Amino acid sequence: MIALTAAEIAAATGGVLRGAAATEPALVVSGPVVVDSRDDVTGGLFVALPGENVDGHDYASVAVAGGAALVLAARDVVGAGGDVLPSVVVADVEKALGDLARVVLERLREAALEPGGSDLRVVGITGSVGKTTTKDLLAQLCGSVGPTIAPVRSFNNEIGLPLTVLRADESTRFLVLEMGASGPGHLTYLTDIAPPDVAVVLIVGHAHLGGFGGIDAVAVAKAEIVQGLVADGVAVLNADDPRVSAMASLAPGDVVTFGAAPDATVGVRDVRLDRAGRATFTLVQRAEAERTAEVSLRLVGEHHVHNALGAAAAALAVGLDLDQVAAGLSAADALSPHRMHVVDRPDGVTVVDDSYNANPDSMRAALKALAVLAGRDRRSIAVLGEMLELGPDAREAHDAIGRLCVRLNIGLTIVVGEGARGIRDGANHEGSWGDEVVLADDLTVATAFLESELRPGDVVLVKSSYGAGLWKLGDTLVEGGVR
């Protein structure tokens, strides 16, 4: 975080100085902002967030002992000797964290406009599918030309986004932010903290339907990121999704489109997949004159072409040229864990760990990638768990995935947990027979069954919502724990 005094943090958050901070308001906080006392917080700010199972206030003294200069808290926090720790006490810690990030970003934008400033550009990315991968791709593209800050893993909510903003400093050239929403108003809250210069909308899909009430409501909520742009901001919209392209009317400034549509500003031609499921294609920039460049992705799955186009369109919008974008995409790797992480084990088994999250769109994409990887000479195994937060359409959505497993000729499907039973039922209704589809009561049963079945040459996909817990099996498989 940029250096701020305790008094400045109190002013930004509407808080009251307590402990040593009250007698020394000029105390400087220049280290990181953290919510976990186990992280390095030397000279920084410890944010004492209350939680369902753990209350950060209980760890404030640990953080200060570890080097924290100041605590952001909702009540007085005391050290081992009973003294009130140096702190800013606020009514709502989570809101105060967002307020602090807003003020810091405003200061950074002002500094960026000064002579010799960084010319900071903020990019926000949202969509029902592909946010984290697109964020990772764009961060690598931007990072090749200037100092770039982007979220770790999938820090895309009311806590993760402010923490990401607060990692930026006066040298930051690009601030890439992932913005998630599980209900109306969530993106408005995030864009109020960090209004983007460029807003990317990937797709309106079937994720978190339970929190919205229907896909049209998802579209309205995703459009909040476009409405949250700065006054002359650029909207980067998926030309292949009519719900997304319709958001152009809400854009305050220029609109850039991407996709397979022939009139997309950033388009694609001649997509080819190699034997490992990696795509090569011609990237097309349609401006005053059409330009093209070849891209060969390292990521596995044809669906990543769409993510790459979104990242390319955003990168072009913030000033990179086409050749830089094409070279950067071809060199980019998958950065976040449990997201189409492909590992070839020494025993001949290939693991595709895509267990961080799941919805009908991402599940279909992962299964198609599995089918390509396995081809005709290897057995495909799909270990599938529940897709959460789908609301009243959950049963039908799981049924459709089971039917797709049969249509893709998946060799063995292991369905984990009662919530995912619809996958087994859908496969049976589509014509699966014998032992092609197995329902396991829980992860322990699924792991034991897979251990008895797995053999050299198999290609195994692990896919579910994070809350279903299949990421634990993903870790085990990648580490080679299941033979």
Side-chain angles (χ1 to χ4, degrees):
M1 183 176 72
I2 62 173
L4 295 173
T5 66
E8 288 174 319
I9 293 173
T13 59
V16 177
L17 293 171
R18 296 289 293 153
T23 57
E24 192 181 350
L27 168 72
V28 175
V29 181
S30 58
V33 180
V34 306
V35 297
D36 189 332
S37 62
R38 296 169 294 186
D39 293 339
D40 178 16
V41 69
T42 305
L45 176 68
F46 175 69
V47 181
L49 285 168
E52 292 182 7
N53 302 311
V54 177
D55 188 340
H57 293 81
D58 297 336
Y59 296 88
S61 61
V62 175
V64 172
L70 192 68
V71 177
L72 185 64
R75 61 178 185 269
D76 279 346
V77 285
V78 299
D83 294 332
V84 176
L85 298 173
S87 54
V88 173
V89 175
V90 296
D92 184 326
V93 177
E94 182 181 293
K95 180 180 180 302
L97 176 64
D99 291 339
L100 179 60
R102 181 187 303 106
V103 169
V104 166
L105 182 54
E106 288 171 354
R107 291 196 179 193
L108 288 175
R109 279 184 151 142
E110 291 172 0
L113 296 176
E114 296 294 327
S118 66
D119 192 24
L120 174 66
R121 288 291 180 267
V122 179
V123 182
I125 302 171
T126 196
S128 300
V129 180
K131 293 186 296 297
T132 300
T133 299
T134 304
K135 172 265 297 182
D136 288 343
L137 290 173
L138 182 58
Q140 291 174 82
L141 291 175
C142 292
S144 68
V145 298
T148 299
I149 294 294
V152 295
R153 301 188 297 278
S154 185
F155 274 27
N156 62 18
N157 62 9
E158 62 277 4
I159 298 170
L161 180 135
L163 288 174
T164 302
V165 171
L166 291 168
R167 288 171 46 216
D169 61 23
E170 293 88 350
S171 70
T172 302
R173 177 72 177 83
F174 303 103
L175 178 57
V176 179
L177 300 172
E178 182 179 339
M179 297 186 174
S182 54
H186 291 185
L187 290 180
T188 297
Y189 179 81
L190 297 180
T191 57
D192 182 58
I193 295 170
D197 297 289
V198 176
V200 182
V201 186
L202 298 171
I203 188 171
V204 172
H206 293 81
H208 307 296
L209 281 182
F212 293 100
I215 195 165
D216 290 332
V218 175
V220 172
K222 296 299 184 186
E224 292 172 9
I225 194 174
V226 178
Q227 295 168 302
L229 278 161
V230 298
D232 57 349
V234 178
V236 176
L237 306 176
N238 178 6
D240 301 329
D241 185 334
R243 290 186 175 88
V244 176
S245 58
M247 297 175 193
S249 62
L250 303 174
D254 292 340
V255 174
V256 173
T257 59
F258 65 93
D263 59 346
T265 313
V266 178
V268 62
R269 286 200 291 259
D270 303 326
V271 178
R272 294 92 67 196
L273 292 182
D274 67 13
R275 185 65 181 79
R278 296 168 301 203
T280 296
F281 58 90
T282 302
L283 180 65
V284 182
Q285 182 182 22
R286 300 182 177 98
E288 296 178 359
E290 182 176 289
R291 295 184 60 208
T292 62
E294 293 301 305
V295 174
S296 295
L297 295 179
R298 296 184 181 185
L299 309 183
V300 174
E302 186 175 3
H303 58 291
H304 285 311
V305 173
H306 176 265
N307 299 329
L309 292 177
L316 292 167
V318 296
L320 278 72
D321 66 41
L322 187 68
D323 291 336
Q324 287 175 318
V325 170
L329 289 175
S330 297
D333 292 312
L335 300 182
S336 298
H338 303 295
R339 296 185 184 271
M340 291 303 290
H341 181 206
V342 180
V343 174
D344 293 316
R345 301 194 328 186
D347 61 0
V349 172
T350 296
V351 179
V352 184
D353 179 9
D354 197 33
S355 57
Y356 186 86
N357 212 342
N359 57 59
D361 299 304
S362 66
M363 188 75 85
R364 285 192 290 269
L367 287 168
K368 290 176 182 177
L370 170 64
V372 170
L373 274 171
R376 296 183 178 182
D377 55 340
R378 304 180 69 183
R379 183 174 64 155
S380 55
I381 300 176
V383 186
L384 307 179
E386 185 176 4
M387 299 178 287
L388 300 171
E389 301 181 50
L390 295 182
D393 296 329
R395 179 74 182 183
E396 180 181 352
H398 286 86
D399 181 281
I401 294 302
R403 294 175 185 271
L404 180 62
C405 288
V406 176
R407 294 169 190 163
L408 292 174
N409 199 30
I410 303 301
L412 171 63
T413 301
I414 303 173
V415 181
V416 185
E418 185 62 29
R421 176 185 287 271
I423 298 175
R424 195 277 305 267
D425 295 343
N428 288 342
H429 294 154
E430 189 67 19
S432 178
W433 58 279
D435 296 327
E436 293 174 348
V437 180
V438 176
L439 178 64
D441 291 339
D442 54 33
L443 186 58
T444 300
V445 174
T447 301
F449 180 76
L450 185 61
E451 182 171 341
S452 68
E453 282 288 321
L454 208 55
R455 59 178 183 254
D458 288 342
V459 184
V460 185
L461 167 71
V462 183
K463 180 75 172 170
S464 74
S465 289
Y466 190 82
L470 264 65
W471 57 270
K472 300 173 186 175
L473 176 58
D475 285 342
T476 300
L477 285 170
V478 168
E479 294 165 2
V482 175
R483 66 176 182 273

